[in-house]
Structure formats: structure tokens, C-alpha cells
Amino acid sequence: MTLTLEEKAVLIDAYEPIVYYHPQEKFPPINPATFMRASAMWCNKPPRHRLESWGNCAHDPEETAFPRAPLIPLGQLKLTPEEHGIDGGIWIGNQPTGDGFYRYLADNEEAGLFLQRGDWTGRGPNDVQPPDPGDLMFAGIAAEPSPFGANMVHVWADVRDQDTAPLVPQSTTAALPPGIANVMQIHYPRGYWMITYHYFYAYHEERLIDCEIDSEWARARIDEEPMHVLPHGTYEGEWQAVTVLVPNPGAPPQQGSPTHVPPGPESPLNIDPEDMPQPDQIGLSRRARGVLANFVGRTAQPEDLTFMVTRSFVGTDVARIDRHAKVFVARGTHNMYFEAGQQTAPKLDNALPYQVDIPDICEDYDSVIDEWQGWIQTIDQTRFRFRKGREVSVGLNKIFMGIAVGGIIGGLFGFVTSVHEGVAQSRRTFDPPEWPQGPEEVDDEGPPVTPPEGQPNFGLVLAPAALVEAVEADLNVLGQTAQQVSSPEGEAAERVVIRDLQRQPWWQPDGQSPVGYEGRWGIVTERDPFDRRSGSKIPAFEAVFLNSLFLE
């Protein structure tokens, strides 16, 4: 069955999570359409992190002076065809060449797209620095308060059922497992609903630990790339998500139907709100960090490092109010957790709930950094060579071997294991190099369980409109306080994801809608040897979620 807009709105309201933010969080979730309208759009050719490659993809890098012109200048990016041409406005669904190519939507190897709110365009090729967590004004975004205003908090929701779930967006490294539709039918014979709530943030703040800084400086020197004096993992335009999977209770069997045939799916409009079924599974997104990101920086993109941690909604492992899960967001990184308090920053290692044995490659990586000049002789997308011992050759087919068995996780884990085996043969005493030092570990700072005296537990608490009073009462019972409890902007029907070029062109394509914005959501920075501080595309959240159900 195809869900109607009214049915999707009912499901959004029935299962929207309650999201708790840190009291010092600077950036609430906003409408990506607002952010896109406030940005310029640029095109960049390989090599991606060279400012000479950025512009409208029609310039001669050797002849064009800085600053260059973007594809769409700031203030002229439009999201509806009615706005095209008015005061110089450019609709991103326009086809200027008339040959069927979507110049402002399609992202490929020859011409990548990214949005820009930060102002780096007049600094020249050697002065471009990534955004600094201590100087958020660099990106044209005030630190406090949010430039978009507290009344613009927004959450979109993509609602699917058993017929449309197999058509979710996918990526090269986040593809659905083969036979996923049949497997889901076995588990949910009466059908199911899958609701993914999208949270977009203007900014992601992240500190690097010591070995990450070491690895970045080593790689930058090897490749003779410019390097910022205070490396960090901060970037513009971040996406996070919560996915809720709900079994359809099934419609009453028709008179005379065979008893061995399960009833078909039921419309949520035919179910009393009090009788809506409880969710079965819930997934929270997090962006992986650590040396792994550095190793695969040349092959995997930033969006590929987003994963989902799932839990069963049955039992007591998920805090909730009725059918609405409580979700706690880490300050700055916006990684999402099932509990408040300090959390171990996610790295794709044994701390995650995957049946894969991953060594601590950060420790082994440090052991060879002081020999960086001879450590790596060749680095490209398909070959890594270490100073001593054997050569580790990694083809793209091996890195992405996980496509058939669950997307990025399997492929990256196999890749990391191979790298670790090569490094282990070069183990030696590590002497700290002459570059900036960082902390040994950086935790994700969730909302405090026990805040300082006189301080609240939470900043913003985002809840469905019908649940605001219940959330306030729940806080009172638990002896907790929040600076503000409010609901997202707009009615549920106004927040449904509709992949339609005429109405919501900013969503990436899926199996039903082949056209949509495929580019990055933040500036590309030149001093970014491992692609950590450049904007990300929208991760394939639903595909990663479905993969995670079968990996745990």
C-alpha cells in the first residue's frame, strides 16, 4: 500500500522522539531549506581540496584570479521554479544547458557540488583555514545565539512502509543487503512502518585526540599539503537521524479468507490513537571518529562514516514516554544516545555493537609517526605502502566488500584489519613530533546527569506538540530542569519528506525519485588532508539502519 500524506502525518506524531540537548548547545536543528537558501553553491573539480579547483567549473585554474564566481551566488539560490529568474534567482532544478543534465543537483567525479555559508573566497589559495571551534564567526555563523532563531527549530520525517522501504536512498558504501524485502517480510508478515526523523545542524564541533593530530600532520607533510595550526574535526552542515521501526498490527481478516494467510497491512487512520502499536526497533545516528576516518579519507566520504546504533523498544533498554523514545544529544557533535551524561566518542572499534574484532589501530599508528618521511612512499585510492615489511594493497572492491553483506561496516572493518597487520610489522618507540599536541581521549559530552548547582540538566527539549505538557510533568517527577520545552516548527503534515523536484529539491535521490541534490552541505576546506572538516552529503540513514538490524 502507498501511504497517504494524512497517514504519514499520523505516524510522525505517534512516534516522534523526545530529544534532549545539552544546556550549552549552540546549534539547534533547523530547516535545511533555510540553510540552503542562505548559502552559495560552488562546483569543484579534482583535486577536491585545492582552492584552484573551486568555482563554477567553467574557469581556467591558471588564468582565473581570486575570488572566483560560484555556480549560484549567495542570496540567489532558489528552491521553487516560480522563483527562477526573479532578481537573478536560480532554481536548483533548472537545466541551463537544456540537455537533461541537472547542473545544480548532480554530483560526480568530474564536478562536485558544495554549499558555502562561511567566507573564505577572498583569502587566496594558501590562506584557507578550516572553521575553528574557538572562532565560529569564521564561518559567518554567530556562536550565540543561533543565527536562525529559536523559533526556527525544524525536523523533517521520511515515512515508509513495507512497499517503499526497499527504495530508500543508498550510497556506494551503504547499500541494502540482498533480499532485504524478503527478510523483512518474514519478520513482519503483516507489514511495517519505518519513520526516519532528520535533524540538520548548521555546524558540527569536534576536537581531535593526540594520535589523530599526529596522523593529520604526517599526511599533510608527506603530500606537501597546507595544514592548519590547530587541527580539529569541525565542519558546516551536519545531518543526524532517528529511525523508528513499527510492526503493522494488520487489518482484520476478511470474511471467508483462508486462516493460514496473514491479514494485510492496516491503515493508521483506522487505529485509535491509544491503540497504536509500540515500536519494535529504534536506531540513533552517530558519526564515527578516530584514526579510521584518516585511513580511509581518500576512498570513503564523510557521510560514509555515519552509522546507526539500534536497540529493541521492547523491555526497559529505551527510556520513553508512551511510544516516544527519549534521545540525548551530545554537545557540538550532535551524536545521539539512549542515556544522558558523558559518552565514549564513537570509533569503529570493539566499543560498537558489531560482531567484528577490531584492534586499536590508533596505538599502532602512533608507533610509526616519527618516521613519516619514509613511512609511506605511495598513497592513493588503491595502495598503501609501509616503510618496513610487507606491502598492503587495498583495492576498492575490498574496501567496499561490505556492500553485499551490509554496507560500509564490513568493508571498512576488513580494510582496517589489513592496515593494522601492515603497521604491526613496523612497530617502534614513538617520539612525539614537533607539531600541536591534543588530549588522549575526547568524550561526547551529553546532557549532564547531575548538573552544577543552579544549572539545568538540559537546554532545549524537543517534543511533539501534543506531548509538551507530559514532558514538563515528567521532568518535574524526575527532579530535572530544562531551559525550554517546545515542539518543532510546523504541523506533522508540513514536515513530511517529499522527494519532489518542484517542492523539496534538497533531498538526495532514492529508488522512486532519481533526481535531487547530491552535493555536500558545507564548505570544502583546503587544509583538510583527511576530509574531516569539509561538508558532508546526506548519509543514507535508512539503508544504514536496516543494515545494522542484521549486523547486531
Side-chain angles (χ1 to χ4, degrees):
M1 58 184 289
T2 300
L3 293 170
T4 66
L5 181 64
E6 186 179 6
E7 289 174 323
K8 291 180 178 181
V10 168
L11 292 170
I12 290 173
D13 281 336
Y15 299 103
E16 185 158 11
I18 308 161
V19 184
Y20 297 78
Y21 288 90
H22 192 283
Q24 297 177 20
E25 176 59 56
K26 301 184 183 75
F27 300 100
I30 61 172
N31 194 335
T34 303
F35 184 90
M36 182 173 267
R37 288 181 182 277
S39 301
M41 181 182 292
W42 290 75
C43 178
N44 66 329
K45 295 182 177 181
R48 299 290 189 221
H49 292 286
R50 297 295 188 188
L51 189 59
E52 294 92 337
S53 304
W54 306 341
N56 58 17
C57 285
H59 64 273
D60 184 335
E62 297 182 357
E63 298 179 1
T64 307
F66 291 94
R68 294 209 178 92
L71 272 175
I72 302 180
L74 187 67
Q76 295 183 16
L77 191 155
K78 306 301 178 183
L79 300 179
T80 63
E82 292 77 17
E83 300 172 284
H84 184 72
I86 300 177
D87 297 329
I90 299 176
W91 173 47
I92 64 173
N94 183 49
Q95 298 173 308
T97 58
D99 58 359
F101 178 69
Y102 290 95
R103 186 182 187 189
Y104 310 112
L105 298 175
D107 181 280
N108 53 47
E109 289 298 320
E110 295 300 320
L113 299 177
F114 66 89
L115 300 178
Q116 171 231 337
R117 271 191 55 83
D119 180 19
W120 44 251
T121 54
R123 301 190 180 205
N126 298 316
D127 290 332
V128 179
Q129 298 182 2
D132 193 313
D135 183 19
L136 297 181
M137 289 302 294
F138 164 80
I141 300 175
E144 295 181 20
S146 166
F148 299 100
N151 63 336
M152 297 183 68
V153 173
H154 200 95
V155 180
W156 289 93
D158 194 345
V159 186
R160 298 175 181 268
D161 62 9
Q162 65 283 340
D163 295 327
T164 56
L167 302 174
V168 298
Q170 303 180 53
S171 68
T172 305
T173 53
L176 291 179
I180 182 66
N182 293 333
V183 173
M184 294 295 287
Q185 184 177 12
I186 293 172
H187 284 277
Y188 304 99
R190 300 180 181 182
Y192 58 90
W193 302 308
M194 186 171 70
I195 311 103
T196 298
Y197 300 88
H198 292 266
Y199 301 82
F200 176 78
Y201 303 92
Y203 227 77
H204 169 102
E205 296 180 86
E206 181 180 313
R207 299 172 62 193
L208 298 187
I209 63 176
D210 198 50
C211 72
E212 293 170 345
I213 295 175
D214 293 344
S215 66
E216 289 220 3
W217 275 72
R219 242 293 308 280
R221 293 189 183 188
I222 293 165
D223 284 1
E224 298 182 349
E225 293 184 352
M227 188 66 203
H228 186 38
V229 295
L230 293 175
H232 54 80
T234 296
Y235 59 90
E236 279 189 312
E238 175 178 37
W239 289 88
Q240 298 282 5
V242 175
T243 297
V244 181
L245 183 64
V246 186
N248 191 306
Q254 296 182 0
Q255 185 176 4
S257 61
T259 56
H260 66 277
V261 177
E266 178 65 286
S267 167
L269 301 179
N270 296 333
I271 305 174
D272 188 282
E274 300 297 325
D275 297 329
M276 292 289 285
Q278 290 287 322
D280 185 44
Q281 299 284 337
I282 180 171
L284 309 184
S285 71
R286 299 171 197 168
R287 175 179 160 114
R289 57 169 301 150
V291 176
L292 175 66
N294 296 347
F295 273 125
V296 301
R298 292 294 186 89
T299 47
Q301 300 300 316
E303 64 273 11
D304 297 326
L305 300 177
T306 294
F307 62 99
M308 301 283 278
V309 174
T310 62
R311 282 190 184 180
S312 171
F313 205 84
V314 180
T316 60
D317 287 342
V318 178
R320 72 197 73 181
I321 297 179
D322 195 15
R323 297 177 300 274
H324 305 269
K326 294 183 179 181
V327 176
F328 303 90
V329 180
R331 174 187 176 188
T333 67
H334 306 122
N335 286 329
M336 311 183 91
Y337 294 91
F338 292 102
E339 297 87 13
Q342 294 290 103
Q343 306 288 341
T344 301
K347 293 181 287 188
L348 289 176
D349 57 19
N350 287 330
L352 299 183
Y354 299 115
Q355 302 301 317
V356 181
D357 184 23
I358 296 300
D360 184 358
I361 57 177
C362 194
E363 178 181 348
D364 289 326
Y365 196 94
D366 281 346
S367 69
V368 294
I369 286 297
D370 60 328
E371 297 290 341
W372 60 268
Q373 285 181 317
W375 171 57
I376 298 179
Q377 298 168 355
T378 301
I379 298 182
D380 58 27
Q381 285 193 341
T382 60
R383 187 170 296 276
F384 286 72
R385 192 187 301 268
F386 295 90
R387 183 180 62 84
K388 291 183 179 180
R390 63 196 255 195
E391 171 184 292
V392 180
S393 179
V394 184
L396 290 177
N397 60 332
K398 182 174 182 181
I399 294 176
F400 298 139
M401 61 180 275
I403 291 176
V405 293
I408 183 173
I409 301 300
L412 292 187
F413 279 176
F415 178 38
V416 174
T417 302
S418 297
V419 172
H420 172 263
E421 290 172 354
V423 176
Q425 297 195 18
S426 302
R427 183 183 294 275
R428 53 177 288 130
T429 303
F430 171 63
D431 298 321
E434 296 298 325
W435 50 59
Q437 303 299 299
E440 290 298 322
E441 292 292 340
V442 177
D443 289 336
D444 264 347
E445 186 180 356
V449 176
T450 305
E453 185 176 356
Q455 299 296 314
N457 299 81
F458 311 108
L460 172 67
V461 177
L462 201 56
L467 213 63
V468 167
E469 292 185 3
V471 170
E472 291 174 336
D474 181 67
L475 289 170
N476 186 55
V477 170
L478 297 174
Q480 299 173 335
T481 56
Q483 294 171 348
Q484 179 183 358
V485 180
S486 61
S487 58
E489 176 190 32
E491 299 292 332
E494 299 170 336
R495 300 188 285 124
V496 174
V497 171
I498 302 174
R499 285 181 166 78
D500 184 312
L501 193 59
Q502 307 287 325
R503 291 185 283 179
Q504 298 178 18
W506 56 87
W507 298 111
Q508 80 272 52
D510 68 356
Q512 288 179 299
S513 304
V515 179
Y517 178 66
E518 301 174 5
R520 298 173 182 244
W521 282 80
I523 57 174
V524 171
T525 60
E526 185 172 48
R527 299 182 179 185
D528 192 13
F530 292 110
D531 215 2
R532 301 177 63 87
R533 291 175 288 277
S534 295
S536 170
K537 299 180 181 181
I538 303 177
F541 291 114
E542 294 96 332
V544 176
F545 170 78
L546 290 171
N547 275 301
S548 68
L549 294 179
F550 299 99
L551 284 172
E552 291 196 22

